[in-house]
Amino acid sequence: MDVGEITVNKSSAEAKQIIKAFEFAKKAHAGQKRLSGDDYFVHLFEVAKILNQLELDATTIIAGLLHDTLEDTQVTEQELKTEFGEKVLFLVQGATKIKNIERQKKERKATSNSTLMKMFLATAEDLRVILIKLVDRLHNLRTIEYLPPEKRKIIAEESIKIYAPIAERLNMGSIKGEIEDLAFPHAFPDKYEQFMATVEPYFQEAKSYATKILPVITAHLKENGITDFALDSRIKHYYSLYKKILRSGKAPDQIFDIIAFRVIVGDIGKCYEALGVIHKKYHPLPGLIKDYIALPKPNGYQSLHTTVFFEEGRVVEFQIRTVEMHDHAEHGIAAHWAYSESGKPKTSSADFKELEWVSQIKEWRAKVREQNPDEFFKNLKGSLFKERIFVFTPQGDIENLPLGATPLDFAYAIHSEIGDHYYGARVNGKMISIGYQLKNMEVCEVLTSKKQKPTSDWLKFAKTNEAKRRIRGFLAG
Ligand code: MN
């Protein structure tokens, strides 16, 4: 473990603090082992490494090193605050809080996964807490085979149901992909085996088809004047294919993007030229030609996409782009980092896989590089969960409501029957009026009466469309 790996690109003052946290965590966890037999500290170092690859700020890397100290060592909150400051303490506390929620959930089966997810998001006041937890979970999944099977299943299911959707919501598509693929065999072992038995042959076949057909594509492009290009293929994530098959009811051989070919050329003119050359020989499927060069995706992604009837009666997708577009799509800002670190581009598929998602977060960060990190994460969280509040039932279930929602909205959110028979509500044991504006994290108890029915007056107090629709429907008879 070389501490230099987690101080890359940091100022000397920041590096000093990171090294201090490195030594501190190592000492605090001394003697603790993971089930793999590794020192516990290995986990903390790996988490810090991934956070650093994401180019997160020093505070986050320090908090990553220390994220398990409050829970698993003698270290106190006061000590963290004195040694590393309030912000680090705040992030470690946040990560510990989420750990506690997860533990409670395991003990109290009643809490649903969606409730846990909402609590997770509501608890993490700073998005960096969520990033630390996502990376923590990612590393735990990479080493999941050392856990006993029952534990593996719980962690894997939770990863698919909670962590992957959070990663998705944060637009971290490849973290999501990696979490799902690592968790899939342990979360649903039977389905996984069944799926792999059905689909593995297609994957294998697709891979060997790709290998076999690459020279055919190369020859065709060259014969038609495209001489300077790189050609490569990518395979779809397993779990994402599994879901696509479930959703569409299609057979695996009807899923056209299990494999896609990428043609990388020198400039934009050559992209269109290459597209023409491909269409000249291979007939495109209507409606599937997409020009993301002229019309980039909102995240800046650029490429030409086309799906064509190809060799041996297969339908395949082509993605055509310039070197710059490819770098951007694969690595984003990470491209620069990847080049500078090793002195040459990283091209092995394992590196690609990692860089793909590393890049997403970097891009996202690069946009606000100028901002102070504290401000940035606060704003981002604000815009993600803008004007939403979370209100609990006394049983601990949560409803996600718009700011300004009333107990009537809350009642309808729980169940339409509860809304229809709304009679009153209590917050913290005190009766509140029907027009009361609920606050984030309040516990609200709804009282109902069989005799009560919706009135036109209620429309004044209903803020959510769901409640309004239901009340209007009732009034309309
Ligand atoms: Mn951990």
Side-chain angles (χ1 to χ4, degrees), residues 80-105:
L80 283 188
K81 191 173 160 185
T82 315
E83 298 295 324
F84 301 100
E86 215 151 319
K87 199 68 218 179
V88 168
L89 171 64
F90 178 84
L91 296 178
V92 175
Q93 280 172 327
T96 309
K97 248 194 254 173
I98 291 174
K99 207 170 180 180
N100 288 333
I101 295 174
E102 288 169 342
R103 179 161 318 131
Q104 277 168 27
K105 178 198 154 227

Side-chain angles (χ1 to χ4, degrees), residues 109-144:
K109 299 259 183 230
T111 311
S112 70
N113 275 316
S114 74
T115 301
L116 175 59
M117 178 166 158
K118 289 171 191 166
M119 285 173 80
F120 190 126
L121 293 175
T123 308
E125 284 162 55
D126 185 318
L127 263 188
R128 282 175 290 185
V129 173
I130 295 181
L131 295 176
I132 292 169
K133 286 301 293 181
L134 277 175
V135 168
D136 179 35
R137 177 54 56 105
L138 185 63
H139 184 250
N140 286 332
L141 283 172
R142 284 181 184 172
T143 52
I144 195 172

Side-chain angles (χ1 to χ4, degrees), residues 384-449:
L384 275 175
F385 308 112
K386 202 170 163 194
E387 302 184 334
R388 302 297 292 183
I389 54 168
F390 299 94
V391 180
F392 294 76
T393 68
Q395 290 74 40
D397 285 324
I398 300 196
E399 298 301 335
N400 181 350
L401 296 164
L403 195 66
T406 64
L408 187 64
D409 293 311
F410 182 61
Y412 273 108
I414 299 169
H415 196 281
S416 52
E417 286 292 317
I418 297 195
D420 283 349
H421 299 292
Y422 177 91
Y423 176 72
R426 282 194 199 110
V427 163
N428 300 330
K430 280 196 195 122
M431 289 300 291
I432 50 168
S433 74
I434 190 169
Y436 176 87
Q437 300 206 339
L438 291 161
K439 292 182 200 69
N440 193 29
M441 308 298 278
E442 262 177 352
V443 179
C444 179
E445 181 191 356
V446 174
L447 310 173
T448 56
S449 155

Side-chain angles (χ1 to χ4, degrees), residues 357-368:
W357 65 258
V358 166
S359 72
Q360 285 169 8
I361 226 185
K362 285 185 161 187
E363 261 176 57
W364 176 61
R365 246 182 74 70
K367 284 184 197 142
V368 280

Side-chain angles (χ1 to χ4, degrees), residues 34 40 43-44 47 64 67-68 72 99 133 136-137 140:
R34 299 202 95 207
Y40 195 84
H43 164 65
L44 305 165
V47 166
H67 80 267
D68 283 325
D72 302 333
K99 207 170 180 180
K133 286 301 293 181
D136 179 35
R137 177 54 56 105
N140 286 332

Side-chain angles (χ1 to χ4, degrees), residues 333-352:
I333 303 301
H336 308 291
W337 163 79
Y339 279 78
S340 62
E341 200 184 34
S342 63
K344 57 178 171 46
K346 293 188 172 186
T347 47
S348 84
S349 60
D351 286 337
F352 254 50

